[in-house]
Amino acid sequence: MKIGLFFGSFNPIHTGHLIVAQAIKELSDLDEVWFVVSPQNPIKKNKKLLHEFDRLDMVRAAIDDNYSFRASDIEFNMPKPSYTIDTLIYLSEKHPNHDFKLLIGEDNVKNFHKWKNYQKILDDYGLLVYPRPHSEKSDHRYNNVEFVEAPKIDISATMIRSLIKEGKSPKYLIPDDVLEIINAKKFYW
């Protein structure tokens, strides 16, 4: 199987994530997209993240009706901060019959050379790159990179958290099941 790995803090997951993942799945040769919930991003550091299991629960709720999507907690028991290459190697060992590709936004291509073992990621896995609003077209010089013409979605988890904190509704920006969890547990208030 060909699996696209969509890493993120998903704090919270929103419709932009889902639209991009579905578009990439349909516009590439992927069989599935796995949402890898990252406990801690080594570049962003820890910034008021909900507990990883709460974020995983929201991802599961958001993708429950899509047989092509999976939620992954693979990084929860790995050393922190989590590095993509370590997760890719671990997943490859655990699932030797799967081919993994990394899904990243075009804004990440510019600094991809700063990622741990970036050349090994390119050589052994490759990238599926989706466009991001407000990012310039990349003039990368990497091999094993495919640009996918997914929609540019200008929704951010930061914007959603701000709306909730201000007592405003993020309806339609996040799936209803995710909104129910947020309201029930009073996340981001």
Side-chain angles (χ1 to χ4, degrees):
M1 282 186 76
K2 294 184 179 179
I3 310 296
L5 298 174
F6 195 173
F7 288 77
S9 58
F10 303 114
N11 189 38
I13 188 168
H14 54 69
T15 53
H17 294 126
L18 301 171
I19 292 167
V20 167
Q22 184 66 36
I24 292 173
K25 193 249 173 223
E26 296 302 325
L27 297 171
S28 69
D29 62 351
L30 295 178
D31 297 303
E32 293 182 351
V33 173
W34 293 3
F35 291 76
V36 181
V37 179
S38 299
Q40 181 182 342
N41 181 322
I43 294 172
K44 292 182 181 176
K45 298 298 178 196
N46 197 354
K47 56 168 183 110
K48 295 187 181 179
L49 287 176
L50 285 182
H51 192 277
E52 56 207 39
F53 287 106
D54 291 322
R55 291 181 285 121
L56 179 66
D57 287 345
M58 288 191 288
V59 170
R60 286 182 173 146
I63 66 171
D64 185 52
D65 64 346
N66 191 323
Y67 69 92
S68 298
F69 290 171
R70 301 278 179 268
S72 174
D73 62 359
I74 197 75
E75 291 191 331
F76 289 12
N77 295 314
M78 295 179 71
K80 293 171 183 60
S82 307
Y83 289 96
T84 303
I85 187 60
D86 299 331
T87 307
L88 286 166
I89 290 169
Y90 183 76
L91 283 169
S92 295
E93 290 169 355
K94 189 172 180 180
H95 303 281
N97 296 327
H98 291 357
D99 292 323
F100 294 102
K101 286 244 185 224
L102 181 61
L103 279 58
I104 67 169
E106 192 166 23
D107 53 329
N108 287 309
V109 175
K110 180 180 177 181
N111 291 314
F112 189 70
H113 66 281
K114 295 180 181 178
W115 290 33
K116 180 181 177 185
N117 296 355
Y118 78 95
Q119 192 61 54
K120 184 167 179 56
I121 295 172
L122 292 169
D123 293 344
D124 295 353
Y125 304 97
L127 305 178
L128 289 170
V129 179
Y130 57 92
R132 293 287 304 262
H134 318 295
S135 74
E136 297 175 21
K137 189 81 174 153
S138 172
D139 60 350
H140 76 89
R141 305 254 192 275
Y142 304 128
N143 293 321
N144 206 7
V145 175
E146 178 184 346
F147 285 82
V148 181
E149 287 302 317
K152 288 185 181 182
I153 307 294
D154 200 2
I155 300 172
S156 73
T158 302
M159 175 181 67
I160 292 165
R161 291 191 307 270
S162 293
L163 285 171
I164 294 167
K165 190 173 180 102
E166 294 169 12
K168 298 175 182 173
S169 174
K171 188 162 179 63
Y172 304 118
L173 297 174
I174 56 177
D176 289 340
D177 291 344
V178 174
L179 185 55
E180 284 179 27
I181 293 170
I182 289 171
N183 288 335
K185 296 191 174 187
K186 299 188 182 337
F187 289 152
Y188 311 118
W189 291 18

